[in-house]
Amino acid sequence: MKDNFSTHSSAYAKFRPTYPQKLYEFLQAKLTDTETAWDCGTGNGQVAGELAEFFQKVKATDISKQQLKNAVKKNNIQYSLQGAEKTNFQDNTFDLITVAQAIHWFNFKDFYKEAKRVLKPNGIIAVIGYSLFNTTPETDEVIRKFYNDIIGPFWDEERRYLDEKYKNIPFPFHEIETPEFQQEYQWSFEHLIGYLETWSAVKHHEKETGENPVNLIKNELKTAFGSQNKIVFPILFRLGKFKD
């Protein structure tokens, strides 16, 4: 599992989008029990923090010490530095496993084997994420040119799973049908820039060339976006139970 986010963990916590409350409500309604959840690849703990509102205990893991250092703190969340594919959790521990904007970095086969080991027989696994946002047509044009042409060569291969909206990831579970969700914001131009600078391909570009590629589009982007505008993130959401 790659760690692309330790070096900018505080920015990640500040600028990354969250998930809509209706998604958590839908998830809660599908659960048999709410004793213990595992948020795998928790990052800044945003999902763990929401799960803690309706679970007795939440175990949250990540491979980044810096991410965990900046994570949401609640009394019923226990963080630990662990990979996704091998943990110290007991068999049949969890009513729910969540993976948010992280599963594309995992070894699918090993993670699913571990997930099936620690998930209770009636437990649920939820794979959550978001793909490229939409905003004004003029801004979308600038962003897509940036995404594909300027930093396109610097994306990790695993990024394609997000571009494919998680439809092509392995998912060896009985799938539960889910509604479509999206998350809308009014973002300032400064917030948009902060978010773009958390992209892994931006960091790869900067490391290789010594130049922040966001600066290459900043003026054009400001003209297209303005000082504030609407941002819409399509939410990716797959839900499953054990196959017998």
Side-chain angles (χ1 to χ4, degrees), residues 3 5-10 42-44 61-71 73 79-82:
D3 178 8
F5 304 104
S6 285
T7 54
H8 291 73
S9 54
S10 58
T42 194
N44 60 27
T61 61
D62 205 279
I63 61 168
S64 167
K65 287 182 181 179
Q66 281 301 113
Q67 285 279 26
L68 296 179
K69 184 179 176 182
N70 285 283
K73 303 295 188 289
Y79 290 103
S80 60
L81 193 70
Q82 299 193 70

Side-chain angles (χ1 to χ4, degrees), residues 49-192:
E50 295 293 337
L51 297 180
E53 293 298 308
F54 57 93
F55 269 90
Q56 294 175 41
K57 292 177 288 185
V58 177
K59 310 282 188 179
T61 61
D62 205 279
I63 61 168
S64 167
K65 287 182 181 179
Q66 281 301 113
Q67 285 279 26
L68 296 179
K69 184 179 176 182
N70 285 283
V72 173
K73 303 295 188 289
K74 290 190 177 180
N75 290 337
N76 57 338
I77 303 176
Q78 182 181 22
Y79 290 103
S80 60
L81 193 70
Q82 299 193 70
E85 298 85 358
K86 186 174 175 60
T87 68
N88 59 16
F89 301 132
Q90 298 295 310
D91 294 357
N92 304 320
T93 296
F94 298 106
D95 303 293
L96 173 69
I97 297 173
T98 53
V99 187
Q101 201 71 357
I103 200 165
H104 49 287
W105 303 117
F106 297 176
N107 178 303
F108 293 121
K109 182 180 177 182
D110 292 346
F111 168 66
Y112 286 136
K113 181 180 177 182
E114 183 70 352
K116 288 182 176 183
R117 181 183 73 80
V118 301
L119 199 61
K120 291 179 183 177
N122 289 323
I124 284 177
I125 182 167
V127 173
I128 312 166
Y130 47 84
S131 51
L132 187 60
F133 64 87
N134 298 298
T135 176
T136 67
E138 298 80 9
T139 305
D140 286 346
E141 186 177 345
V142 176
I143 292 294
R144 275 149 184 77
K145 179 181 169 186
F146 178 68
Y147 185 93
N148 294 314
D149 300 339
I150 297 177
I151 62 171
F154 295 90
W155 285 112
D156 293 275
E157 182 186 352
E158 295 89 344
R159 177 71 195 186
R160 67 182 175 85
Y161 292 114
L162 288 168
D163 292 335
E164 295 161 357
K165 304 185 187 305
Y166 280 164
K167 290 177 180 175
N168 296 324
I169 63 169
F171 200 67
F173 299 89
H174 282 301
E175 189 137 9
I176 300 167
E177 188 175 349
T178 59
E180 290 190 2
F181 294 102
Q182 61 182 31
Q183 185 74 309
E184 294 188 11
Y185 296 97
Q186 283 289 327
W187 271 6
S188 67
F189 177 71
E190 289 72 25
H191 194 115
L192 175 60

Side-chain angles (χ1 to χ4, degrees), residues 12 16-17 19 101 128-132 162 195 233-236:
Y12 195 93
R16 284 280 171 143
Y19 301 101
Q101 201 71 357
I128 312 166
Y130 47 84
S131 51
L132 187 60
L162 288 168
Y195 170 61
F233 283 92
I235 300 299
L236 318 180

